Amino acid sequence: MSQTHSLEGLLPVLAGDPEGIVDEWSEIVTQSLRGRVSKPEVRTELAELYRTLRAGLESSDFTELHGLLAELSRARAVQGFSPRETAVSVFALKQVVSRRIGDDLPLGEFLQFSALVDDLGLLTFEAYSQAREQVIAEQAEQLLELSTPVVKLWDGIIAVPLVGTLDSARAQAVMEQLLEALTSTDADTAIIDITGVPAVDTQVAQHLLKTVMAARLMGAESIISGIRPQIAQTIVALGIEFGDIATKATLADALALALHRRQGRS
Amino acid sequence: MDAIPILKLDDVLLVSIQVDLSDQTAMAMQDALADRITTTGARGVVIDISALEIVDSFIGRILATTASVSRMLDADTVVVGMRPAVAITLVELGLSLGEVRTALNLEKGLALLRQAKAIAADEQ
């Protein structure tokens, strides 16, 4: 993008009828976006873009234009437009400008302009995919936070209802949050409810065991509840030993056991 | 070398570890504790590690052997106040501290000892 653009012939065309060009441009773009963004909105965006583009061409400094474009495609990515729809917003300018140039303009100059617009289009694509990745990463993080709530069931009894597949990252998050909750709530019993976990393999079982062991080191006993019949069969078939860890069929049973233990202590 | 203070509270000895343990300090603590148990006739030991941020496998083993030694001298041992990060590390290291009893905090640790004593008294 650092090459200089000598567009003496084209600049007057671009400056000749800015309002008309922006009008026509926003007409095409609005059509391609199929009404999901209103025309006045598109027009404001494109007018700003056009102004910056001309300023950039005159000064050969496109920093501001790049920033503006990146912002635009980021907004489009968040709104859920496809990369094609986003890039069309830039490429349509070629169409508009090509209609306005006379025969006297050398072809080379238009090609240069075309290359510039192509570059800008690619830039939107880059910014678009970056923004999309960011959105996905944020969502993954939110999901991780959402998926590991620690609830206080009773005085001294906390529970983690697990829903969905347990992978290493989640199991780690569960372990950390459970242990933190033990210290912050002064609870000495933790119920790990796996009613919502569709499958338990050796790895998941390993994570559960680690969590229970760590809680035990801190002085809290754990109860695993919500083991479905099929999962129980899988666990036995896999040869996993839960040892002396208390397991219960339902959360209610686990709570009853925890309350019973409390009574025994006091 | 820092000496770990051992405080006497009725028939319970309270070992409060406030600095990160070096291997020598840990071994010295084990010796001093065994001595104090015999001289005071203590029936229980509470080791508070809530200030301990780093526990390696050596310190983990010292804690386990200290508990075994104390039990042999007829004093129940409770390790209290382990931090979540420390617990995770020990589990990742594959150390379970054997038969060492644990409690969330000093209060619960003392309650645990009282309870153990009551059960022992019942049995007699």
Side-chain angles (χ1 to χ4, degrees):
Chain A
M1 286 301 268
S2 55
Q3 80 261 37
T4 47
H5 300 270
S6 53
L7 300 165
E8 287 89 11
L10 198 66
L11 279 177
V13 179
L14 293 177
D17 179 19
E19 292 294 312
I21 291 180
V22 171
D23 272 338
E24 224 173 289
W25 189 12
S26 42
E27 182 69 39
I28 301 173
V29 172
T30 312
Q31 266 174 17
S32 78
L33 297 180
R34 282 174 311 208
R36 276 177 290 172
V37 179
S38 70
K39 197 177 167 191
E41 229 175 305
V42 172
R43 202 186 179 286
T44 323
E45 277 174 0
L46 294 185
E48 174 75 6
L49 208 59
Y50 191 63
R51 191 192 58 71
T52 329
L53 171 70
R54 275 176 53 206
L57 282 172
E58 272 159 26
S59 62
S60 290
D61 173 19
F62 294 98
T63 328
E64 197 190 344
L65 180 65
H66 290 176
L68 198 66
L69 259 183
E71 207 174 293
L72 182 84
S73 26
R74 230 168 263 141
R76 290 266 203 277
V78 172
Q79 285 163 342
F81 288 101
S82 73
R84 185 172 175 276
E85 284 163 333
T86 310
V88 160
S89 305
V90 176
F91 290 139
L93 180 63
K94 259 200 257 186
Q95 206 179 323
V96 179
V97 173
S98 71
R99 270 188 220 146
R100 281 161 198 273
I101 50 172
D103 297 334
D104 49 336
L105 191 78
L107 179 64
E109 210 163 292
F110 182 73
L111 281 179
Q112 239 182 44
F113 175 73
S114 171
L116 171 71
V117 174
D118 287 349
D119 269 352
L120 294 179
L122 287 176
L123 189 81
T124 65
F125 194 86
E126 221 167 78
Y128 178 94
S129 58
Q130 264 173 15
R132 251 334 233 274
E133 265 164 40
Q134 204 182 334
V135 168
I136 292 169
E138 274 167 18
Q139 283 174 345
E141 200 177 310
Q142 283 168 357
L143 207 62
L144 200 62
E145 274 170 28
L146 261 184
S147 64
T148 52
V150 180
V151 288
K152 186 176 169 183
L153 281 189
W154 210 272
D155 214 19
I157 304 173
I158 56 169
V160 239
L162 293 177
V163 177
T165 316
L166 273 179
D167 57 11
S168 291
R170 257 196 87 194
Q172 189 71 23
V174 169
M175 191 196 298
E176 276 165 24
Q177 294 203 7
L178 178 71
L179 299 185
E180 287 296 338
L182 284 178
T183 27
S184 62
T185 61
D186 250 359
D188 49 22
T189 306
I191 300 175
I192 304 172
D193 185 72
I194 57 167
T195 312
V197 179
V200 172
D201 55 15
T202 42
Q203 207 187 356
V204 172
Q206 194 70 27
H207 285 310
L208 286 176
L209 285 174
K210 270 188 194 170
T211 309
V212 173
M213 287 306 156
R216 195 171 276 176
L217 280 178
M218 289 177 60
E221 273 305 307
S222 307
I223 304 170
I224 297 176
S225 75
I227 302 177
R228 291 191 230 159
Q230 276 208 317
I231 291 182
Q233 289 184 34
T234 325
I235 290 175
V236 173
L238 285 172
I240 297 164
E241 281 286 336
F242 272 146
D244 55 347
I245 300 164
T247 49
K248 287 283 168 193
T250 64
L251 184 58
D253 290 342
L255 181 59
L257 174 67
L259 288 172
H260 181 72
R261 280 186 187 168
R262 274 177 70 78
Q263 269 177 351
R265 266 201 302 272
S266 55
Chain B
M1 192 173 75
D2 310 294
I4 303 298
I6 300 173
L7 313 171
K8 187 170 168 294
L9 223 111
D10 291 336
D11 57 351
V12 171
L13 290 180
L14 172 62
V15 185
S16 182
I17 302 172
Q18 296 295 332
V19 290
D20 277 330
L21 279 180
S22 69
D23 291 0
Q24 283 89 351
T25 318
M27 287 190 312
M29 176 198 82
Q30 192 178 354
D31 287 348
L33 184 62
D35 282 349
R36 283 295 293 272
I37 291 172
T38 36
T39 53
T40 60
R43 300 295 305 273
V45 175
V46 178
I47 304 176
D48 178 20
I49 58 166
S50 53
L52 215 58
E53 283 180 40
I54 300 162
V55 172
D56 56 18
S57 57
F58 185 79
I59 302 295
R61 217 168 57 233
I62 288 274
L63 288 175
T65 51
T66 303
S68 304
V69 168
S70 308
R71 203 174 307 120
M72 194 160 279
L73 297 169
D74 199 20
D76 268 327
T77 303
V78 187
V79 172
V80 302
M82 189 184 292
R83 295 183 179 208
V86 171
I88 292 175
T89 317
L90 286 185
V91 169
E92 295 290 345
L93 285 173
L95 277 175
S96 60
L97 289 194
E99 296 295 303
V100 182
R101 289 191 205 210
T102 49
L104 280 174
N105 48 41
L106 183 58
E107 200 183 346
K108 285 186 199 244
L110 288 171
L112 197 67
L113 284 179
R114 266 201 300 277
Q115 196 195 337
K117 212 167 74 180
I119 292 171
D122 275 353
E123 281 170 357
Q124 275 172 7

